[in-house]
Amino acid sequence: MSAAATAPSRIAVVGASAAGLSVVEGLRREGYTGSLTLIGEESHLPYDRPPLSKQLLSGAWDTDRLHLRGEGDIAALDLQLRLGQPAIALDSAAGQVTLADGSLVGYHTLVVATGTRARRLPGAESMDGVHVLRTLEDALALREALAARPHLVVVGGGFVGAEAAAVARGLGCEVTLVTDTAQPMGDALGDELGALLRTVHHEHGVRIETGARVDQVLTDGGRARGVRLADGRALAADAVLVGIGAQPNTEWLTGSGVPLGNGVECDATLYAGSGVWAAGDVACWLDARTGEPRRIEHRTNAAEQGLADARNILAGPEHATPFDPVPYVWSDQYDLKIQIYGRTHGADEVRIVEGSTAERKLVALYGRNGRTCAAVGINMARALRGYRAQVAAAAPLLTGSAA
């Protein structure tokens, strides 16, 4: 008997995201002909998020270019679309999702792909002049603010903060970047490559406060006018962007019986039990190699997990296969194209094996206990691809000459 013949007759996907779209497309591609419902909190068709802090923020793209699929492509999937209706509760025993308008969506199999939301500074959640960058509306509001060429203080030196700082400088804004790490993107790149990135930001006029923590947003007349650091210093600003990470959207699952922790807790196949699977930023699954829980907030991971869910749903939990990816993420800042395969966190050794920091073109391998755990490329996309297999195999760390 085929997988499609034994598949559940009603599948609901909560989250009209890259992950959610990947699930429904994967199911149809694999021959699933049953009922498919796609539920989305936002009113938009699924759109791409990485350009929010890059091309859309800079004005190089308009909103139409963000759409992952056109209306015709979505219609061809034969979905029941429930956009602009957040899921607010789940009864996993009854197989029902409650939406904000009070309506119920029944299912036999459910995929949770509700993603994450931006963390905010306490006390500044709805303050005028304080921005986050997670949704299309967030990006459009920040783009409008940057058009006035404000002095922007960016709180957080991760991907979002560093990319937004670069865009803001390109638009002619005065920019101060505050990060609690030793270097911008230090958590992802480490000290040596992070120092290179810091130099590039300095050359473009960004003031950087490293090893600093923001304690408070300063206001005047209810509007943000700067930030106060933990050491007591005050930094003036006309606008503040908070890029201090994200938290999984799981509150609606409280009391549902779905295991929750750092997201929806799944086994190695992305199955959470009781007919519920998870995909994307919200999914926390057991790494088949280490047995440790992992949650990844990257665009490519979301799409890959969505496809894995589709295959595993049709196979059934008893025949599902572990999700074992090589994570990939990229960042565009000024004339730097930064690409990462694998996980740099926890690396105890970094070796530059091609190029150099002086050239600002390089490939660096990251090792943990003598094994390759990641490869990072800066302006060397083709060369970097050659190291992906080494990361996938956790091969012994290559020797190479440091720059």
Side-chain angles (χ1 to χ4, degrees):
M1 186 175 293
S2 68
T6 59
S9 60
R10 289 187 301 168
I11 300 175
V13 179
V14 183
S17 55
L21 177 64
S22 183
V23 173
V24 296
E25 286 190 327
L27 286 167
R28 292 303 192 212
R29 193 177 302 128
E30 294 290 331
Y32 179 71
T33 58
S35 171
L36 263 180
T37 302
L38 182 62
I39 300 165
E41 178 177 7
E42 298 181 64
S43 59
H44 313 291
L45 290 174
Y47 63 88
D48 214 9
R49 294 187 191 274
L52 297 181
S53 58
K54 305 177 182 74
Q55 296 94 334
L56 186 80
L57 188 61
S58 71
W61 286 15
D62 59 24
T63 56
D64 289 343
R65 292 191 65 176
L66 296 181
H67 293 148
L68 292 169
R69 300 291 182 270
E71 291 184 3
D73 297 318
I74 297 295
L77 293 171
D78 189 22
L79 306 174
Q80 297 178 44
L81 274 178
R82 302 297 301 272
L83 300 180
Q85 284 296 327
I88 61 171
L90 171 67
D91 185 337
S92 58
Q96 288 184 329
V97 177
T98 303
L99 304 187
D101 64 0
S103 62
L104 300 175
V105 175
Y107 69 87
H108 296 129
T109 293
L110 178 73
V111 179
V112 178
T114 45
T116 59
R117 64 186 181 279
R119 294 186 183 276
R120 298 174 182 266
L121 289 172
E125 291 85 354
S126 57
M127 188 180 294
D128 192 20
V130 177
H131 299 263
V132 294
L133 191 48
R134 177 65 189 172
T135 68
L136 174 57
E137 283 72 23
D138 292 338
L140 291 176
L142 181 58
R143 187 169 78 175
E144 181 180 359
L146 295 183
R149 305 296 185 267
H151 179 183
L152 177 70
V153 167
V154 179
V155 183
F159 285 90
V160 167
E163 289 172 359
V167 169
R169 279 302 297 145
L171 294 174
C173 303
E174 185 179 352
V175 178
T176 301
L177 177 68
V178 182
T179 176
D180 60 2
T181 59
Q183 306 292 349
M185 287 183 60
D187 286 346
L189 298 178
D191 285 342
E192 185 174 7
L193 271 59
L196 167 60
L197 184 61
R198 181 180 183 179
T199 297
V200 173
H201 274 281
H202 273 309
E203 290 174 353
H204 284 83
V206 176
R207 173 186 174 186
I208 300 180
E209 295 284 348
T210 58
R213 191 182 75 250
V214 170
D215 273 357
Q216 180 185 5
V217 176
L218 303 175
T219 63
D220 181 9
R223 181 177 179 82
R225 291 302 180 190
V227 299
R228 186 177 304 282
L229 304 184
D231 62 10
R233 288 180 296 150
L235 304 178
D238 304 307
V240 176
L241 171 62
V242 179
I244 55 174
Q247 57 193 96
N249 289 320
T250 58
E251 287 77 9
W252 68 284
L253 296 168
T254 301
S256 67
V258 173
L260 303 176
N262 181 24
V264 174
E265 295 184 343
C266 309
D267 65 15
T269 71
L270 304 174
Y271 187 54
S274 303
V276 177
W277 304 74
D281 295 3
V282 76
C284 182
W285 81 103
L286 286 180
D287 188 313
R289 301 188 190 204
T290 67
E292 298 177 353
R294 294 178 66 182
R295 189 173 66 80
I296 296 178
E297 298 176 4
H298 297 328
R299 166 69 176 81
T300 51
N301 180 75
E304 290 173 353
Q305 283 191 335
L307 291 176
D309 268 356
R311 291 190 297 267
N312 283 340
I313 287 169
L314 296 180
E318 65 278 7
H319 300 297
T321 57
F323 179 69
D324 187 20
V326 176
Y328 171 76
V329 65
W330 74 97
S331 180
D332 298 319
Q333 298 174 45
Y334 310 111
D335 58 350
L336 300 183
K337 178 76 170 184
I338 303 167
Q339 298 169 286
I340 304 173
Y341 285 113
R343 287 175 62 88
T344 57
H345 296 285
D348 52 33
E349 188 173 1
V350 179
R351 297 179 182 175
I352 296 176
V353 293
E354 295 194 37
S356 68
T357 55
E359 298 172 85
R360 298 183 179 178
K361 293 178 60 176
L362 60 87
V363 173
L365 297 182
Y366 289 62
R368 187 184 303 117
N369 299 324
R371 297 281 175 174
T372 306
C373 60
V376 175
I378 297 180
N379 292 341
M380 291 191 75
R382 181 177 296 181
L384 178 67
R385 285 194 293 270
Y387 292 93
R388 184 185 183 280
Q390 184 173 340
V391 175
L397 191 64
L398 288 176
T399 58
S401 58

